[in-house]
Amino acid sequence: MAWWWWDEAVVVAAAGGTGGSSGTVVSICVFTAVLCLCLVVGHLLEESKWVNQSITALLIGCVVGAIIFLLNKGKKSRILRFDEQLFFIYVLPQIIFNAGFQVKKKQFFHNFLTIMSFGILGVFISVAIVSTGCCWLFPKLGFGDLDAIDYLALGAIFSSTDTVRTLQVISQDETPRLYSLVFGEGVVNDAASVVLFNAIKNLDINRLIGGVALKVISDFLYLFFTSTMLGVTIGLSTAYALKALYFGRHSTDREVALMALMAYLSYMLAELVDLSGILTVFFCGIVMSHYAWHNVTESSRITTRHIFATMSFIAETFIFLYVGMDALDIDKWRTSETSFKTSVGIFGIIMSLVLLGRAAFVFPLSILSNYMSGSCERAPITFKHQVVIWWAGLMRGAVSIALAYNQFTFSGVTLDPVHATIITSTISVVFFTTLVFGFLTRPVVSAMLPQHQHQQQSTAAASGGGGSTGSNSPKDDDFFTLPFLSPEEEASGSSSGRGFLQAKRSISMLLERPVHTVHIYWRKFDNKFMRPIFGGPLPLSP
């Protein structure tokens, strides 16, 4: 694990042993053993409706941190020191790439506009509310020694969500659109938060004055589109190389290695040219799963699915375990000179702004999405679904921790009391939202989406007529049968009047459901030009 700088082995020091290289080995052994313990306990609690892997890692981290704290006589509570830069280089790419690689593309692009509005426009709204609220309310508590960049950074830090717990509860088969919205918004939100955070860090407030907002938006749009194109380009290059060279005839290991290394290369190239590696590796993952994955052998397909998911799983568990141990880090609490009352006030302000900032865009944008979809959308976002989406984004996780450390510490250490207060407040928010909201997620989702309603919906869908398949299969959706001239008309040479009516109907559908209609012609273009070159299953000829 080259991305962590290890402190001296506090366990060895407490026991009177030697330090040095042996201490580092002991530290690695202890932390690896604790990671294994997290996996075992998480497996045993898999069926529990109250806890998940993140909560398990947090609690175990607290217990281990307390033990180390006692063994070290109150000096330290962890056996490693966080390096936020190396987190962005080694840990975060695994999580984001797997999100793109595992994304259900059909549902993701089916709800593309809604997901992007939640993930991008929602982030801007949330950042504005959190930043403005902190800037206005913190000084009222006597805590106001932050500059404009710090307040904007706080908005990005606390606008990054962690939807994993809710996704474990929502059924993808019973509520496919809701699942897609929660999952899609989660991954886009993470990417958008990091991109916006980087754009904020590059601001020069003294030179911009009144153009700060426009500068942030322009930088964000530039980073978003250029990073996306870089990820798509590298994904397509990987797919073409695998298809043209057929690595599998000699070694399936080379196929897996090439996909993993090219994915990581996309991230590092983006960072090298000052783009967003998060967005690049996310869209690289989507493109690889759409094209490259079909160009490898069956054993490589199974291997890539599992290895990418495993690496992401370990990375997330690693972060939550560290947060649990770091919550008892006495150095940060000592450095923070804020009184207990003020600390509680800061925590309360942040939590209130998180709740308000999320509600400020989820409900209005959901209503707007339903209005734009009109009568053509078969699965509107109901109020109960909106509540679930709002709740899913209340938890904060690894990205929030990494951004906070990146802004307010140097290699996990800060000597500034104000910055130390922000770090402890961030840990408290992540800890509280993961534990409390995580515990309550299953009851909340069960209350909003009763099981008997799911069963009724599934039964109705199964017994329905033309819409029986819902959104389970792309070829069964009605929006895939809307060409300007239908095949029957083309084959039979029907009258121009009928052709005109068909074209008129398709244009109306384009205006009413632009994403779905564009999806039709993208699928046609994809099947005719892209897949023959870059790989992927071709549609069966009639």
Side-chain angles (χ1 to χ4, degrees), residues 398-455:
V399 176
S400 294
I401 288 291
L403 295 181
Y405 275 71
N406 184 276
Q407 179 69 16
F408 297 106
T409 73
F410 180 76
S411 295
V413 178
T414 179
L415 301 178
D416 188 326
V418 174
H419 290 178
T421 300
I422 295 297
I423 293 298
T424 56
S425 298
T426 303
I427 293 175
S428 299
V429 169
V430 172
F431 208 90
F432 179 84
T433 56
T434 301
L435 289 180
V436 177
F437 292 160
F439 278 134
L440 297 177
T441 292
R442 189 177 294 273
V444 169
V445 173
S446 298
M448 293 294 105
L449 307 173
Q451 187 65 28
H452 71 275
Q453 291 187 10
H454 292 168
Q455 294 173 350

Side-chain angles (χ1 to χ4, degrees), residues 42 45-56 58 161-171 179 182-183 186 316 320 388 391-397 430 432-446:
L45 298 177
E46 183 69 26
E47 302 301 325
S48 173
K49 70 176 183 178
W50 298 107
V51 299
N52 66 343
Q53 189 66 38
S54 301
I55 296 175
T56 301
L58 271 177
T161 64
D162 182 12
T163 59
V164 174
R165 175 58 176 157
T166 308
L167 288 172
Q168 293 173 339
V169 179
I170 300 176
S171 172
Y179 186 95
V182 173
F183 177 84
E316 290 187 353
F320 280 105
V388 173
W391 181 270
L394 294 179
M395 284 160 276
R396 298 297 177 261
V430 172
F432 179 84
T433 56
T434 301
L435 289 180
V436 177
F437 292 160
F439 278 134
L440 297 177
T441 292
R442 189 177 294 273
V444 169
V445 173
S446 298

Side-chain angles (χ1 to χ4, degrees), residues 495-541:
S495 64
S496 60
R498 290 184 60 192
F500 175 78
L501 292 176
Q502 179 72 16
K504 182 179 179 180
R505 185 169 73 93
S506 295
I507 293 175
S508 299
M509 290 300 299
L510 176 62
L511 296 176
E512 293 179 3
R513 305 175 75 188
V515 174
H516 300 167
T517 310
V518 169
H519 198 177
I520 301 167
Y521 295 102
W522 160 249
R523 287 296 295 269
K524 290 184 176 182
F525 176 81
D526 189 31
N527 292 333
K528 186 175 182 179
F529 297 104
M530 299 294 289
R531 291 190 175 186
I533 298 175
F534 298 105
L538 297 176
L540 298 177
S541 57

Side-chain angles (χ1 to χ4, degrees), residues 26-97:
V26 172
S27 299
I28 295 175
C29 289
V30 170
F31 202 86
T32 304
V34 175
L35 267 177
C36 294
L37 178 63
C38 288
L39 301 182
V40 173
V41 175
H43 167 71
L44 296 177
L45 298 177
E46 183 69 26
E47 302 301 325
S48 173
K49 70 176 183 178
W50 298 107
V51 299
N52 66 343
Q53 189 66 38
S54 301
I55 296 175
T56 301
L58 271 177
L59 294 177
I60 292 177
C62 283
V63 173
V64 175
I67 294 174
I68 297 174
F69 184 79
L70 294 175
L71 289 176
N72 206 36
K73 298 180 181 180
K75 294 181 179 179
K76 293 191 177 185
S77 64
R78 47 174 169 57
I79 55 176
L80 55 86
R81 182 157 50 90
F82 187 86
D83 190 319
E84 70 281 354
Q85 292 295 335
L86 293 178
F87 169 85
F88 282 100
I89 295 176
Y90 292 101
V91 179
L92 193 57
Q94 304 173 35
I95 300 173
I96 301 299
F97 175 77

Side-chain angles (χ1 to χ4, degrees), residues 308-323:
F308 294 147
T310 301
M311 292 169 65
S312 174
F313 178 77
I314 293 176
E316 290 187 353
T317 305
F318 200 96
I319 290 298
F320 280 105
L321 180 60
Y322 177 84
V323 171

